[in-house]
Amino acid sequence: MIQSTKINVTAIVNAPIETVWNAWNTPRDIMQWNSADPNWHCPTSENDVRVNGKFKNRMEAKDGSFGFDFEGVYDKVELFKELTYSMTDGRKVSTVFTEKDGKTTLSTVFDAESENEVEVQKQGWQVILNSFVKYVESKNY
């Protein structure tokens, strides 16, 4: 078996863990923050947060020139602590939620794919994570 490269992205959100968890997992919220570039958006989101539950987020260029579905199946769901899922190509992703002093740290580790450079993948996922932080911190939950 070939060992895949693991990539880690992390962000700290100035919000309690329940707020962060809910914004991370609620489709109407996901559609607001889930893009890596201002020219892209997430027009639809479905999320069944339970073991063997599925999620599907549609990622599209705003001009309609390109789009794809980002989807997977949850392998582990530990409320307010961890989400682990398998993407349709078999790669694994795990996000851990940790709260300290009213701030929540999100740490996502994912298997790299082979089409793009590791640093490009890391930057793309980090931009989405940063978009999430900005979204949550701009809301009054």
Side-chain angles (χ1 to χ4, degrees), residues 93-128:
V93 180
S94 178
T95 299
V96 175
F97 300 73
T98 311
E99 185 178 15
K100 183 178 180 184
D101 300 327
K103 295 182 179 184
T104 303
T105 300
L106 284 169
S107 181
T108 298
V109 177
F110 63 97
D111 293 334
E113 41 94 345
S114 58
E115 292 180 26
N116 296 290
E117 295 291 327
V118 168
E119 193 55 37
V120 169
Q121 293 176 65
K122 182 174 184 170
Q123 287 173 0
W125 284 59
Q126 188 68 56
V127 168
I128 292 171

Side-chain angles (χ1 to χ4, degrees), residues 32-63:
Q32 299 303 309
W33 59 260
N34 193 18
S35 68
D37 182 282
N39 295 317
W40 281 68
H41 65 149
C42 180
T44 62
S45 175
E46 301 167 21
N47 199 17
D48 183 6
V49 186
R50 62 182 174 85
V51 173
N52 294 321
K54 296 179 181 180
F55 70 88
K56 180 164 79 171
N57 299 311
R58 181 71 184 166
M59 313 294 278
E60 288 184 358
K62 289 180 178 176
D63 68 6

Side-chain angles (χ1 to χ4, degrees), residues 17 21 24-25 49 51 74-85 93-98 106-107 109:
I17 202 162
W21 178 272
W24 189 261
N25 290 301
V49 186
V51 173
Y74 290 105
D75 302 313
K76 179 179 181 182
V77 176
E78 196 173 343
L79 186 64
F80 304 132
K81 292 187 179 176
E82 183 177 356
L83 290 171
T84 301
Y85 60 87
V93 180
S94 178
T95 299
V96 175
F97 300 73
T98 311
L106 284 169
S107 181
V109 177

